[in-house]
Amino acid sequence: MKVSKHFLVTGGAGFLGSHLCEKLLDQGHEVLCVDNFYTGQKDNIIKLMDNPYFETMRHDITFPLYVETDNIFNLACPASPIHYQFDPVQTTKTSVHGAINMLGLAKRVKAKIFQASTSEVYGDPECHPQPEGYWGNVNPVGLRACYDEGKRCAETLFFDYHRQHGLKIKVARIFNTYGPKMALNDGRVVSNFIIQSLQNQPITIYGDGSQTRSFCYVDDLIDAFIKTMESADEFTGPVNLGNPKEFSIRELAETIIDMTGSSSKLEFKPLPENDPCQRRPDISLARDVLKWEPSTPLEQGLKPTIAYFDKILSNR
């Protein structure tokens, strides 16, 4: 098998990172997975270890990294509220210092670099759906600010390095994504509902369940990552990547209860601070430039996701 390019994936043992590493290897590339294993899991990449074109390195990107590579996917950062609020200072450092260190590496080795940004840069949006030109409605001193503002600052750094140093950058704003390899304890709505349903526990809904989200299956998102990285150099983004089909949180819960045959009941709790009421991407730019849009309906993507968690819970 001919190796065509070398890729560095930070956060490569995480949910999205491990799927990306696997896809890049399948395409015949060489991959260096860098992770400090704060939220990443060795189980996510264990089956890749025997591939001679795969290498893993334990490293925290808040410290400089000296390696050689052609392309960098910067995915490192805890992405669920439970994890990023546990150590908010470290979360901000991962986004900001991590961006500086990876951009410095890209500058030194003349690599193209991709930043995994987030729909959280829009905060609790005042326009719907959210286009890339919307500047957001973020509380800079709230509990979520360590993640929201950290990612916003990272975007600033990417575009300043692009303008000042001519770096080849790609910035993608990721909306809610789900699929196998999500962590059991990450506190995200899809994994929470599946785990509670499989154990016939009450389904915890914050607020009245009318708040909306859009859910993109992981395979669709990884396809978008690759298309973004392969796009023309003049296309920098930011570009929204997600599924534009919108569901209420209550609809999601009822769908999962039905698919798992669960006896779980809905349990309502107060809405957390600054939790967005609506979240749906405008993906017109991705459709136009990347020729991409998600193709996996929610129930089709939930089947392997439910099977994944069912297997984990059975093994425990």
Side-chain angles (χ1 to χ4, degrees), residues 87-98:
D87 189 346
V89 172
Q90 184 64 22
T91 296
T92 303
K93 286 172 67 177
T94 301
S95 287
V96 179
H97 291 190

Side-chain angles (χ1 to χ4, degrees), residues 80-82 84-85 120 122-125 137-139 142-145 148 176 187-189 193 204-213 249 269-279:
S80 70
I82 285 177
Y84 68 64
Q85 290 173 11
E120 299 294 343
Y122 299 124
D124 189 3
N137 177 39
V138 175
N139 176 4
L143 292 174
R144 302 170 72 99
D148 301 1
N176 289 60
R188 295 190 225 194
V189 65
F193 286 1
T204 307
I205 293 180
Y206 296 97
D208 62 5
S210 64
Q211 66 270 37
T212 65
R213 296 292 185 270
I249 296 300
K269 293 189 175 182
L271 198 64
E273 178 187 352
N274 302 135
D275 193 58
C277 294
Q278 289 182 304
R279 184 61 59 73

Side-chain angles (χ1 to χ4, degrees), residues 112 130 212 259:
K112 188 190 302 184
Q130 294 82 57
T212 65
M259 290 183 67

